[in-house]
Amino acid sequence: MAISTATKAATDALAANPAPVSVGAQEVHRWMQSFTWDFDKNRTKYSTKYKMANDTKEQFKLIAKEYARMESVKDERQFGSLQDVLTRVDAANRVHPKWNESMKVISNFLEVGEYNAIAATGMLWDSATAPEQKNGYLGQVLDEIRHTNQCAYINYYFAKQGQDAAGHNDARRTRAIGPLWKGMKRVFSDGFISGDAVECSINLQLVGEACFTNPLIVAVTEWASANGDEMTPTVFLSIETDELRHMANGYQTVVSIANDEAASKYLNTDLNNAFWTQQKYFTPVLGMMFEYGSHFKVEPWVKTWNRWVYEDWGGIWIGRLGKYGVESPRSLRDAKKDAYWAHHDLFLIAYALWPTGFFRLSLPTQEEADWYEANYPGWYDMYGKVYDEWRARGCEDPSSGFLPIQWFIENNHPIYIDRVSQVPFCPSYCKGESTLRVLEYNGKKHSFSDQWGERMWLSEPERYECQNIFEQYEGRELSEVIAEGFGLRSDGKTLISQPHTKKDGKLWTLDDIKRINCVFSDPLKAL
């Protein structure tokens, strides 16, 4: 009986390329490369202005069987610890209450980043032409699926085993109310999966993972441990073991386009835009989560940022890419200034808008205030005295009828949203580098807090059409928005978010918010 063309082709290929006698993973990888396809005329759904070389190599040279074995061992260790040892010793209830609230944000938001990274690396797989490079991207797709489940499991574990489950168990629907959500989508969604495929790789692998993985995933394990959290290091360090391969993928992406003429024209601009996009959100938000979302401090955020972002990434990592024409971002110096005060500015605003969150915030204690002043001289005169005034006016007590956002209104300090980063800022009361810039386009006003975001908007304004929180809810009363956005606990009346983490403190209800009659307004319309 005649054999099919496909069977004959496979038989001939095996005859010409006999299987190796040994079973070493690297030798198997070399052998498998002989069964490749010709991607010279690759037709991708995801275009790029760069031409990726057809002979790019993969640094780790993983095969699927070896990958599965390696990851299964890590998962056995991780889930074995969580489901057995840590549950037996009631580890989730030994976490400091402030840090428990921070993990509602950190793990949930990182889950979104990991989820979008699945699509981003799948897109890169489709765009690449080198078989080995495709293999590297494919391995990362599998990693990101694993990481998405790990981040979700952290919230599930805290909700099931720990304290104050509200926020851990329903953040996927309640997170959309507050001002931090849209900025997170800007870096983790739009930055990773929209536009040019190689530009998405720069956002995800060269900046998001190579630059901010260390101050995020590595540093968070230190802060978690200091505040009694043994679950987060168990999971996040397992995630971090995969990140080096993702950084290598970003490195190889740059290598694959190094000889393309487009690289000399666009690469450094794309890198600068990607870095500013990522740092504009990560720098203040991570600093706020670490310093204000913990009781026991590890080190000033500015030191962590300087070590990992400025020195390690901006100096060493980008320096290694210098031979391919890559330069440290021009905006790196301005970002370094943000690392000192931006997270303090953001917490002031975040606390003022606390009813729109899905986690509990608390004002600094005297011990914490002393720590801030020692590490950030001038902190008290700018922020500490404001917190003292808010506390004196009863900001934690529902019967006071006082929301800190009223202080901003009374003192004529309007809060704006940066159109590009979607990060809130108050130019009239801040110590960071924010300055108000307003442009009009198609009959609509747009506010910006810095020159780099303004430049990005001017080059493609259609990319930044997202409504901010003040435009979306303009004219609507706060309690109505909270109820519509599922910001209530299971009793249907108590807010998930609260202005304190005290176990015996009074909890705010929807009726308490309604009595204040706080109505959203767009500050740009007052200009």
Side-chain angles (χ1 to χ4, degrees), residues 465-503:
E465 292 292 327
C466 179
Q467 283 185 313
N468 63 48
I469 185 174
F470 300 124
E471 294 168 333
Q472 183 177 359
Y473 301 124
E474 184 185 15
R476 300 187 61 185
E477 192 267 323
L478 179 56
S479 69
E480 177 188 343
V481 172
I482 294 171
E484 182 182 275
F486 305 100
L488 301 175
R489 295 169 183 262
S490 56
D491 63 5
K493 59 181 182 180
T494 307
L495 271 62
I496 293 176
S497 182
Q498 296 291 329
H500 63 81
T501 56
K502 300 172 183 175
K503 290 184 179 180

Side-chain angles (χ1 to χ4, degrees), residues 41-214:
K41 297 180 180 179
N42 181 51
R43 293 179 63 186
T44 175
K45 292 186 293 183
Y46 308 103
S47 61
T48 173
K49 57 182 174 283
Y50 301 96
K51 180 174 175 54
M52 303 168 81
N54 198 42
D55 57 352
T56 306
K57 302 301 180 184
E58 176 202 0
Q59 293 185 17
F60 282 82
K61 303 187 185 304
L62 275 178
I63 59 174
K65 183 177 181 180
E66 184 66 16
Y67 172 87
R69 182 202 64 78
M70 177 178 64
E71 298 301 314
S72 66
V73 169
K74 291 192 287 187
D75 281 348
E76 287 171 5
R77 293 172 180 168
Q78 168 192 266
F79 289 110
S81 298
L82 288 166
Q83 295 174 356
D84 185 10
V85 179
L86 295 177
T87 301
R88 288 173 185 267
V89 299
D90 197 25
N93 283 301
R94 300 190 302 185
V95 178
H96 193 280
K98 290 183 72 171
W99 184 255
N100 176 68
E101 299 302 317
S102 290
M103 286 310 300
K104 293 178 182 179
V105 182
I106 294 172
S107 187
N108 183 268
F109 280 14
L110 184 58
E111 177 196 0
V112 178
E114 302 289 2
Y115 182 79
N116 281 282
I118 300 171
T121 45
M123 175 174 62
L124 286 164
W125 182 93
D126 192 75
S127 299
T129 58
E132 283 198 37
Q133 192 175 13
K134 281 179 172 285
N135 193 59
Y137 292 146
L138 179 60
Q140 184 168 349
V141 170
L142 299 176
D143 282 342
E144 307 299 4
I145 295 171
R146 176 175 180 262
H147 297 173
T148 302
N149 282 281
Q150 287 173 291
C151 290
Y153 190 83
I154 278 283
N155 281 124
Y156 165 78
Y157 190 90
F158 271 102
K160 184 178 181 180
Q161 305 290 346
Q163 50 195 296
D164 195 18
H168 281 302
N169 59 2
D170 51 8
R172 288 174 180 165
R173 65 177 184 175
T174 59
R175 64 193 178 193
I177 306 174
L180 295 182
W181 167 244
K182 291 185 177 181
M184 190 281 305
K185 288 207 299 181
R186 172 71 187 100
V187 296
F188 274 161
S189 296
D190 177 54
F192 287 1
I193 62 175
S194 299
D196 186 288
V198 170
E199 188 180 343
C200 289
S201 169
I202 294 170
N203 264 281
L204 169 62
Q205 296 164 333
L206 195 58
V207 180
E209 292 175 315
C211 179
F212 284 102
T213 283
N214 286 323

Side-chain angles (χ1 to χ4, degrees), residues 347-355 363 386-387 390-391 393-396 400-411 413 415 499 508 516:
F347 181 77
L348 195 75
I349 295 172
Y351 194 87
L353 298 172
W354 70 260
L363 292 176
V386 176
Y387 298 140
W390 291 355
R391 188 178 277 113
R393 294 180 66 175
C395 65
E396 297 177 349
S400 69
F402 172 71
L403 291 175
I405 187 63
Q406 295 170 280
W407 179 89
F408 280 88
I409 297 171
E410 293 165 0
N411 291 278
H413 294 309
I415 297 172
W508 286 65
I516 299 173

Side-chain angles (χ1 to χ4, degrees), residues 213-511:
T213 283
N214 286 323
L216 171 55
I217 297 179
V218 175
V220 78
T221 63
E222 297 179 273
W223 286 83
S225 297
N227 286 274
D229 177 5
E230 298 174 84
M231 289 71 65
T232 299
T234 301
V235 175
F236 277 36
L237 289 176
S238 182
I239 292 175
E240 181 63 16
T241 59
D242 296 325
E243 294 297 330
L244 186 59
R245 284 186 282 109
H246 304 177
M247 298 177 198
N249 282 342
Y251 188 96
Q252 291 304 112
T253 301
V254 173
V255 171
S256 72
I257 63 171
N259 294 320
D260 181 29
E261 291 182 4
S264 60
K265 293 174 61 178
Y266 305 115
L267 181 56
N268 284 312
T269 298
D270 285 346
L271 174 60
N272 186 75
N273 290 345
F275 171 73
W276 190 256
T277 296
Q278 301 292 323
Q279 88 80 28
K280 187 65 179 179
Y281 185 81
F282 281 133
T283 296
V285 171
L286 285 180
M288 182 184 80
M289 288 292 111
F290 289 165
E291 291 192 356
Y292 288 91
S294 67
H295 177 68
F296 301 102
K297 316 300 182 189
V298 175
E299 66 176 355
W301 165 240
V302 65
K303 289 186 178 180
T304 304
W305 193 97
N306 192 65
R307 180 172 64 254
W308 289 117
V309 178
Y310 194 78
E311 296 176 0
D312 185 78
W313 182 79
I316 300 172
W317 183 254
I318 296 299
R320 291 172 179 168
L321 290 168
K323 57 187 175 183
Y324 301 113
V326 179
E327 301 170 355
S328 291
R330 290 167 293 162
S331 58
L332 186 60
R333 181 176 297 180
D334 287 344
K336 187 177 173 69
K337 298 176 185 176
D338 271 349
Y340 201 90
W341 290 115
H343 60 296
H344 299 294
D345 291 334
L346 183 61
F347 181 77
L348 195 75
I349 295 172
Y351 194 87
L353 298 172
W354 70 260
T356 64
F358 60 97
F359 54 99
R360 300 167 73 165
L361 291 169
S362 58
L363 292 176
T365 63
Q366 185 57 54
E367 178 186 355
E368 292 167 343
D370 292 341
W371 185 87
Y372 293 130
E373 185 63 34
N375 289 283
Y376 301 94
W379 177 88
Y380 180 80
D381 288 340
M382 184 68 181
Y383 310 100
K385 65 181 183 181
V386 176
Y387 298 140
D388 286 347
E389 180 182 342
W390 291 355
R391 188 178 277 113
R393 294 180 66 175
C395 65
E396 297 177 349
D397 186 358
S399 64
S400 69
F402 172 71
L403 291 175
I405 187 63
Q406 295 170 280
W407 179 89
F408 280 88
I409 297 171
E410 293 165 0
N411 291 278
N412 195 28
H413 294 309
I415 297 172
Y416 300 89
I417 306 291
D418 182 86
R419 180 65 72 190
V420 172
S421 68
Q422 287 291 320
V423 173
F425 68 102
C426 179
S428 61
Y429 200 86
C430 68
K431 284 182 75 70
E433 294 297 305
S434 297
T435 56
L436 179 62
R437 300 153 180 262
V438 179
L439 295 175
E440 190 167 342
Y441 179 73
N442 283 346
K444 184 178 180 180
K445 290 189 176 76
H446 306 269
S447 55
F448 308 91
S449 60
D450 59 81
Q451 62 164 321
W452 303 105
E454 183 182 13
R455 288 181 180 184
M456 282 189 277
W457 183 85
L458 286 169
S459 66
E460 44 180 351
E462 66 281 356
R463 184 169 187 168
Y464 309 102
E465 292 292 327
C466 179
Q467 283 185 313
N468 63 48
I469 185 174
F470 300 124
E471 294 168 333
Q472 183 177 359
Y473 301 124
E474 184 185 15
R476 300 187 61 185
E477 192 267 323
L478 179 56
S479 69
E480 177 188 343
V481 172
I482 294 171
E484 182 182 275
F486 305 100
L488 301 175
R489 295 169 183 262
S490 56
D491 63 5
K493 59 181 182 180
T494 307
L495 271 62
I496 293 176
S497 182
Q498 296 291 329
H500 63 81
T501 56
K502 300 172 183 175
K503 290 184 179 180
D504 57 349
K506 294 181 181 178
L507 300 182
W508 286 65
T509 66
L510 203 61
D511 288 339

